[in-house]
Amino acid sequence: ILEQVTISALHDQQITLAESTLTEICGITGKNSQRYRKLLALCLESQANYEKALEIYDAMLEDNNSNIYALKRKYCILRAEINDIEARKCLNDYLERNASDAAGWEEMAKTCMENGDYQGASFCYEEVILFSPTDSSIHCTLGELYVSVGGKENYTLARKHFAQCLEFDGSCVRAMYGLISASEHFL
């Protein structure tokens, strides 16, 4: 229950309450406990002390390099600090260890699009489609990415995904115009 109180206090920006419950948790579990270090890092993040929080997450990753929680939080800190290159490396490490996370692939696609890497973003959305093959908006976005990349093969793939989007959602105007655009470029 103390963990939940600490996390709730951090959500409500009640740092003193979070610190007092964190002290109680330290007394119960010890300073080297994964739970204590996780909550301490969250407390440091809420105070915008990102460097010390990153040190804790790095130490947690040294202990267990497949610690998914630490990888996610490290990515979030790097993303918040607008350190795009390091954040992208961290997200890539996360996806290498946890390739079945659709939200992670979608986040990687978003970072690729922000950097103008539409080919990389299309690869990421292909991975997302594996998890949600009937989501029309993903098919539409992927079609748009293929049109942005260009090339005969990509226009063919774009038409396929726009048509699939329209099969799932016949009223999607983006897919209608996308299909026309991809077909015009294809000709």
Side-chain angles (χ1 to χ4, degrees):
I1 292 186
L2 288 174
E3 279 184 64
Q4 294 169 345
V5 170
T6 305
I7 292 171
S8 296
L10 291 174
H11 281 291
D12 290 339
Q13 294 295 315
Q14 295 180 11
I15 305 300
T16 53
L17 175 61
E19 288 176 345
S20 67
T21 56
L22 193 59
T23 304
E24 287 183 52
I25 292 171
C26 181
I28 295 169
T29 63
K31 287 191 175 196
N32 292 326
S33 162
Q34 287 286 329
R35 287 181 172 179
Y36 171 74
R37 293 191 303 172
K38 176 180 89 167
L39 293 170
L40 177 61
L42 279 176
C43 196
L44 291 169
E45 280 185 62
S46 70
Q47 296 169 359
N49 192 346
Y50 297 129
E51 289 179 25
K52 287 194 178 189
L54 277 174
E55 289 174 12
I56 292 172
Y57 292 133
D58 286 335
M60 290 171 74
L61 288 169
E62 282 180 23
D63 293 346
N64 178 7
N65 67 353
S66 62
N67 186 332
I68 299 301
Y69 178 81
L71 282 169
K72 281 184 178 182
R73 295 308 312 157
K74 185 177 176 181
Y75 168 74
C76 291
I77 290 172
L78 292 171
R79 182 82 171 164
E81 289 183 327
I82 311 173
N83 189 346
D84 288 335
I85 296 169
E86 286 296 316
R88 196 166 173 181
K89 285 180 187 176
C90 184
L91 186 56
N92 194 37
D93 287 344
Y94 170 75
L95 289 172
E96 283 178 7
R97 290 179 176 87
N98 192 21
S100 62
D101 185 3
W105 283 110
E106 228 171 325
E107 184 68 25
M108 180 60 96
K110 190 165 84 171
T111 60
C112 288
M113 286 191 292
E114 288 172 0
N115 293 316
D117 180 13
Y118 298 116
Q119 187 71 40
S122 62
F123 173 80
C124 294
Y125 271 108
E126 285 287 352
E127 293 294 321
V128 173
I129 280 184
L130 294 175
F131 301 107
S132 185
T134 60
D135 189 340
S136 63
S137 65
I138 294 172
H139 282 284
C140 188
T141 303
L142 187 55
E144 292 168 341
L145 286 169
Y146 281 130
V147 168
S148 297
V149 171
K152 187 174 182 177
E153 182 179 322
N154 288 325
Y155 288 129
T156 303
L157 290 169
R159 287 182 14 202
K160 177 184 99 171
H161 286 288
F162 285 132
Q164 190 69 49
C165 175
L166 288 170
E167 187 174 315
F168 294 130
D169 180 12
S171 64
C172 182
V173 177
R174 281 176 47 208
M176 288 178 198
Y177 282 112
L179 186 58
I180 292 168
S181 175
S183 297
E184 285 177 352
H185 284 97
F186 187 72
L187 298 175

